[in-house]
Amino acid sequence: MIGKLRYALVFLVCLTGCTQQVMPWERGFLAKPQMQLDTDPERSKIMKHTFSSKEAATGGYGVGGGGCGCN
Amino acid sequence: MAVIKRNKSALSTLSLAALALPGVMASAADSDQYSVDTLFSRYSESQNRMKIDAYQASAYLPLTDTLNFRVNGVKDVVTGASPVTYYPAAGKAKMIMSGASIADVRDAVDISASYTNNLGQFGVDVGRSSENDYNSSFFNIDSKFDFNQKNTTLALGYGFASDNVWAIDHCPPHCEGMVGNEGKYRRSGVGGDKQNHQGLIGITQLLDKHSFVQANLTYSYSGGYLSDPYKAVYAPWVTEPYPNYADSGFMHDTRPGEKHQIAFLTRYVRHFSNLNSAALHLDYRYYADTWNIGAHTFELSWNQPIVDHWSITPKFRYYSQNAAEFYQPYYTSQRTDGFYSSDYRLARFGSVSGGVQIEKQFFSKLSVGFAIDFYKRDYSYSINGGAGSPVDNFTFSILSANINYKF
Amino acid sequence: MALQLFKYPFTAMGSPCEIQLYAASVSDAAAVAQSIIHDIERLESKYSRYRPDSFLAEINRAAAKARKIAIDDETASLLHYAQTCYEQSDGLFDISSGVLRKLWDFKQSDAMRIPNPEHIQRVLQYVGWDKVRWTSSSLAFSAKNMELDFGGIVKEYAADRAASIAYAMKLKYGIVNLGGDIRVIGPHPDGSPWRIGVQDPRHKNAVLKVVALEHGAMASSGDYERCIQINGQRYSHILNPQTGFPVNYLAAVTVTSDLCVLAGSASTIAMLKADQGMAWLSDLGLPHLWVTVDGKMGGDLVDI
């Protein structure tokens, strides 16, 4: 079951774009700090907190709140 | 002696050339470093409306190869004023501000642990945030699983938050609740508890050795007191006085007791070898909720390494939303559903923001950065529809400085 | 989670090789070993001078006609490393010296004669890193009939990359041995070092010295197997690009360093430096061991 699900997911992803297998030793560029999804977690935390307290939209980036009176 | 000197430099010259070979520089210790990140930021709204100084600190503690902890702390010091309500004047909305009455401190702390084994990566995060008018306790669990020789990563997450919100008044001038006893007191008739459940499913896919994409879907359910206890709406049919302001014709902000939200986020990151390893980050998020708000968010940033471990990152963001179905800047007639809110965050509006960040790294241990961001909200920037008002147009800036240290 | 030791012997780049890895399961170890071997095979098929379809063969076809050829980043960084070795060895470490092998037949150990001086001089015209022009994207030769050979670099480079691949796959304890070029991924899980024997250049199964390494690399250069005797004089397969002759002062040099590629080129440069090699090594400052052709031994690894 898990195995099938796994292949279904892989298949789904492979369908959506022309991806090529990236080997572990080819990940030097992807491992660079500027290539991380969150290059500056502390600063993006305050920016997301600010945007979500001034705008209606929230979510997408991950689960987790922090509470906010946000006048 | 001269010969020795030359050969010491021979070793460093050869070492440098060897380290420049692709793929020889990785070390086992890379991911296992203790680190501390700190950030100070100052948020200032236009017309001196509100100012927030935020102090953040975070410590990363790798305990073993497979288990690590992180502790985060935030202190926000909030001062200033914010809109309370609106009333019509010559067919236009006029704003009533709270007066420079806000003086709040938010303290938040959370502790997270992450464990990695053959099956995947598992994390748990527990925390609490408290203000003089808001408490929140929350926990999140998340997991990541690699497939396809680690070219594909599946992420699953769940979060729960239990919040309590109320309004604080000061005596004087608002002494209805505690005459003869100066200080803060809790306003009656508003506030309550709310709960929030969130779920996430996401996939990260490497495209080639220079780029990858991520697609996340989050769903969130909130139930309980979802109104703003400080805000009022103009409701001319109301005859009883509005507490604290003693005016008739106003009532409390009253929203539905439930909200379902979804957000679909796609992110693309690309590396440019021929531009000194610059990185492009592109994000698009679609958001919708059961209050009928839909929103689009576009974000773009360009991280450009320069020389000597300096880097510069310009950022741009565009946001647009339509109004909640029950939102009006002011009301002229009663609604059958009984929901009223003039909160500017539920209005139709758009915003553009941009900024630039400069970062410098020293000895691959210490890094210091500064950033400035500007944000401009405008009723006319929205590509969505619904009610809104130019009276809520405003701008803010955020100045921030960070120091990060790896041990 | 108890870690077990898994061993993967194989043959690559003309040498017996072995990877030893500590992992929680055979599938974890096999995945890492497979990735490492895949990378070694990639480098072998790219830089082998025996394969006509290799990129090096393509370079050498361009070199034969003194043509210009486009190169990738990896090749450029190897050329940069080769250039650094050339400069730091005062021209002795020269990746264009392989053409001199035409003068000496190392497979035939008997009845070998010293080539005549005119013949040597003629071949030496095709040798010389100073006749090579290169940038980050192209390589050009100012003389015809030249040949490049990454023999002294690529195997060691592959060993260093193997360790990086293991780290990227979260494997921290193990060792890679590519025909005597050794890179330690990390110590045994209890923190104890790997104990590596340095082979006696004159007695194939004898160990000169056992070196303990928790991390880093060890590489050797010497006339262990491929050597020739002419008039009773032993010559190694390492050729001096300035004289055209094989070196015949040091029999073997072993160097340890953080990186295998650095240990490898330091040991080769020391061999080429002949009677100056021992002084060059002790000035360089890397732990080392040397044996001369007449059996003398020295270096700071001897005393530990």
Side-chain angles (χ1 to χ4, degrees):
Chain A
M1 174 60 204
I2 297 285
K4 270 188 184 167
L5 181 70
R6 189 159 121 177
Y7 287 111
L9 279 167
V10 169
F11 182 64
L12 196 86
V13 168
C14 292
L15 268 181
T16 58
C18 13
T19 67
Q20 61 194 73
Q21 195 85 332
V22 182
M23 293 297 169
W25 57 88
E26 295 177 321
R27 293 184 190 165
F29 299 132
L30 299 173
K32 284 179 182 276
Q34 63 266 37
M35 287 294 287
Q36 303 314 297
L37 277 169
D38 217 347
T39 54
D40 188 349
E42 289 298 307
R43 197 171 259 109
S44 68
K45 195 154 68 182
I46 188 78
M47 293 310 284
K48 284 191 189 91
H49 183 77
T50 305
F51 291 135
S52 69
S53 70
K54 299 290 159 188
E55 298 169 342
T58 149
Y61 291 90
V63 289
C68 169
C70 303
N71 292 290
Chain B
M1 197 61 206
V3 173
I4 291 170
K5 248 186 182 167
R6 201 195 62 156
N7 272 299
K8 292 290 178 216
S9 84
L11 181 57
S12 63
T13 310
L14 285 168
S15 300
L16 268 177
L19 286 169
L21 292 167
V24 308
M25 203 161 64
S27 92
D30 270 1
S31 56
D32 302 324
Q33 280 172 292
Y34 286 76
S35 60
V36 171
D37 299 334
T38 58
L39 180 85
F40 167 75
S41 63
R42 170 162 290 182
Y43 167 94
S44 329
E45 249 169 45
S46 50
Q47 290 124 41
N48 291 320
R49 240 161 67 162
M50 190 182 282
K51 198 176 88 180
I52 305 170
D53 284 348
Y55 306 85
Q56 285 169 240
S58 169
Y60 175 69
L61 316 158
L63 205 65
T64 67
D65 294 348
T66 54
L67 182 65
N68 64 66
F69 291 93
R70 186 179 278 282
V71 183
N72 297 298
V74 182
K75 185 186 257 317
D76 289 348
V77 179
V78 185
T79 50
S82 76
V84 172
T85 192
Y86 307 81
Y87 63 95
K92 286 183 179 167
K94 289 274 281 182
M95 188 191 286
I96 298 174
M97 295 291 289
S98 64
S101 63
I102 301 167
D104 196 2
V105 174
R106 182 172 82 103
D107 291 301
V109 61
D110 70 279
I111 296 176
S112 63
S114 170
Y115 174 73
T116 309
N117 68 9
N118 301 338
L119 295 172
Q121 188 183 320
F122 305 91
V124 56
D125 177 27
V126 180
R128 187 172 164 78
S129 162
S130 56
E131 292 165 72
N132 64 20
D133 53 13
Y134 201 105
N135 280 331
S136 177
S137 305
F138 55 89
F139 76 87
N140 306 300
I141 49 179
D142 65 86
S143 53
K144 280 181 189 160
F145 306 94
D146 293 317
F147 301 102
N148 190 16
Q149 299 201 326
K150 298 196 176 178
N151 279 239
T152 309
T153 304
L154 171 71
L156 297 172
Y158 169 76
F160 174 76
S162 174
D163 299 2
N164 186 236
V165 58
W166 63 95
I168 286 288
D169 280 316
H170 298 265
C171 177
H174 305 297
C175 290
E176 293 82 11
M178 46 185 304
V179 179
N181 195 359
E182 295 187 356
K184 290 177 181 178
Y185 73 97
R186 191 168 169 158
R187 193 185 295 177
S188 64
V190 289
D193 297 330
K194 61 177 170 182
Q195 280 80 40
N196 174 265
H197 299 267
Q198 281 183 70
L200 171 137
I201 180 165
I203 280 186
T204 306
Q205 172 67 44
L206 305 188
L207 297 176
D208 55 37
K209 58 183 178 175
H210 292 282
S211 60
F212 65 97
V213 286
Q214 185 182 57
N216 284 349
L217 182 68
T218 57
Y219 164 77
S220 160
Y221 168 79
S222 302
Y225 182 82
L226 304 180
S227 307
D228 187 325
Y230 286 102
K231 293 206 191 299
V233 296
Y234 176 77
W237 61 89
V238 175
T239 51
E240 60 264 40
Y242 182 76
N244 311 63
Y245 294 94
D247 283 321
S248 65
F250 286 94
M251 63 184 286
H252 294 302
D253 178 275
T254 311
R255 308 180 195 184
E258 278 193 334
K259 181 159 72 166
H260 301 263
Q261 299 164 290
I262 58 149
F264 181 68
L265 171 72
T266 52
R267 314 177 82 178
Y268 174 72
V269 184
R270 179 168 183 83
H271 174 260
F272 294 85
S273 299
N274 50 355
L275 295 169
N276 198 22
S277 278
L280 168 74
H281 291 248
L282 268 179
D283 294 4
Y284 168 72
R285 179 178 66 180
Y286 174 73
Y287 167 89
D289 67 31
T290 50
W291 294 356
N292 227 8
I293 296 177
H296 304 282
T297 313
F298 299 93
E299 274 191 85
L300 175 118
S301 74
W302 181 267
N303 189 313
Q304 180 67 60
I306 317 171
V307 285
D308 291 336
H309 304 287
W310 282 90
S311 73
I312 184 164
T313 308
K315 289 173 275 185
F316 174 79
R317 182 178 186 272
Y318 172 73
Y319 175 83
S320 173
Q321 75 174 51
N322 65 290
E325 63 177 332
F326 52 84
Y327 166 88
Q328 288 293 331
Y330 53 83
Y331 293 83
T332 51
S333 60
Q334 278 181 271
R335 289 177 58 86
T336 51
D337 60 12
F339 301 133
Y340 302 90
S341 179
S342 300
D343 186 345
Y344 65 94
R345 286 164 293 200
L346 304 183
R348 166 207 168 156
F349 73 93
S351 75
V352 292
S353 52
V356 65
Q357 182 177 340
I358 291 170
E359 195 90 20
K360 161 82 175 160
Q361 204 184 54
F362 302 90
F363 318 114
S364 43
K365 275 184 167 288
L366 176 70
S367 105
V368 177
F370 294 94
I372 182 161
D373 289 277
F374 291 103
Y375 177 98
K376 180 167 167 52
R377 170 194 158 120
D378 200 290
Y379 167 71
S380 67
Y381 290 169
S382 179
I383 54 170
N384 303 65
S389 166
V391 74
D392 285 319
N393 293 353
F394 72 96
T395 62
F396 67 75
S397 67
I398 297 180
L399 289 169
S400 58
N402 65 289
I403 298 176
N404 305 40
Y405 190 79
K406 280 183 191 159
F407 293 91
Chain C
M1 201 164 58
L3 294 173
Q4 283 174 268
L5 181 63
F6 298 93
K7 298 184 182 185
Y8 298 91
F10 61 103
T11 303
M13 300 184 176
S15 312
C17 303
E18 187 177 47
I19 301 169
Q20 296 191 35
L21 304 169
Y22 279 98
S25 70
V26 64
S27 62
D28 284 7
V32 176
Q34 206 172 32
S35 296
I36 291 174
I37 292 168
H38 188 284
D39 189 51
I40 292 166
E41 285 171 349
R42 179 188 70 86
L43 288 170
E44 184 173 13
S45 63
K46 187 172 177 183
Y47 295 115
S48 168
R49 62 189 164 91
Y50 302 108
R51 295 195 190 181
D53 60 341
S54 74
F55 181 58
L56 182 67
E58 210 176 303
I59 288 177
N60 284 334
R61 281 193 290 275
K65 293 176 181 161
R67 270 193 289 118
K68 193 172 168 178
I69 183 169
I71 57 169
D72 64 356
D73 290 353
E74 185 174 47
T75 305
S77 65
L78 288 168
L79 292 175
H80 173 250
Y81 187 70
Q83 161 130 356
T84 309
C85 291
Y86 177 83
E87 286 163 359
Q88 295 304 322
S89 64
D90 298 318
L92 287 171
F93 188 107
D94 189 331
I95 60 167
S96 71
S97 63
V99 70
L100 291 167
R101 261 187 301 263
K102 287 175 181 164
L103 296 169
W104 310 84
D105 185 359
F106 296 106
K107 290 187 182 107
Q108 227 183 332
S109 50
D110 313 317
M112 183 70 197
R113 295 182 56 199
I114 294 176
N116 74 53
E118 285 140 53
H119 193 189
I120 292 177
Q121 281 314 307
R122 199 164 61 244
V123 177
L124 277 176
Q125 291 170 14
Y126 312 134
V127 175
W129 183 247
D130 53 335
K131 301 185 183 88
V132 177
R133 300 276 171 273
W134 66 281
T135 68
S136 59
S137 57
S138 72
L139 173 65
F141 301 86
S142 59
K144 282 188 178 183
N145 299 324
M146 289 186 72
E147 242 182 75
L148 295 189
D149 177 4
F150 289 111
I153 299 174
V154 165
K155 191 149 62 76
E156 294 83 347
Y157 166 59
D160 286 325
R161 282 177 63 88
S164 299
I165 290 166
Y167 300 148
M169 298 178 81
K170 306 279 179 215
L171 192 140
K172 295 177 65 174
Y173 309 108
I175 191 166
V176 177
N177 175 1
L178 306 183
D181 292 324
I182 286 152
R183 173 66 197 258
V184 175
I185 297 165
H188 294 284
D190 63 2
S192 63
W194 296 90
R195 300 175 63 77
I196 305 153
V198 179
Q199 190 191 322
D200 185 327
R202 294 289 169 265
H203 306 95
K204 204 179 174 185
N205 295 314
V207 167
L208 271 183
K209 184 77 198 170
V210 174
V211 177
L213 280 186
E214 285 162 41
H215 61 87
M218 185 175 100
S220 303
S221 191
D223 57 350
Y224 299 94
E225 277 133 36
R226 285 179 293 169
C227 64
I228 46 174
Q229 283 193 346
I230 304 159
N231 304 333
Q233 173 75 59
R234 285 180 76 99
Y235 289 93
S236 83
H237 69 286
I238 295 167
L239 296 156
N240 183 317
Q242 287 156 2
T243 63
F245 269 70
V247 296
N248 68 344
Y249 189 87
L250 289 169
V253 175
T254 294
V255 176
T256 67
S257 159
D258 284 345
L259 296 175
C260 193
V261 70
L262 189 53
S265 37
S267 61
T268 307
I269 291 171
M271 290 286 290
L272 286 160
K273 290 260 176 188
D275 58 338
Q276 318 273 301
M278 295 87 80
W280 186 83
L281 279 171
S282 57
D283 288 346
L284 187 69
L286 290 173
H288 63 277
L289 180 159
W290 48 260
V291 184
T292 61
V293 285
D294 43 23
K296 274 186 273 179
M297 186 162 86
D300 45 13
L301 281 176
V302 176
D303 312 318
I304 56 169

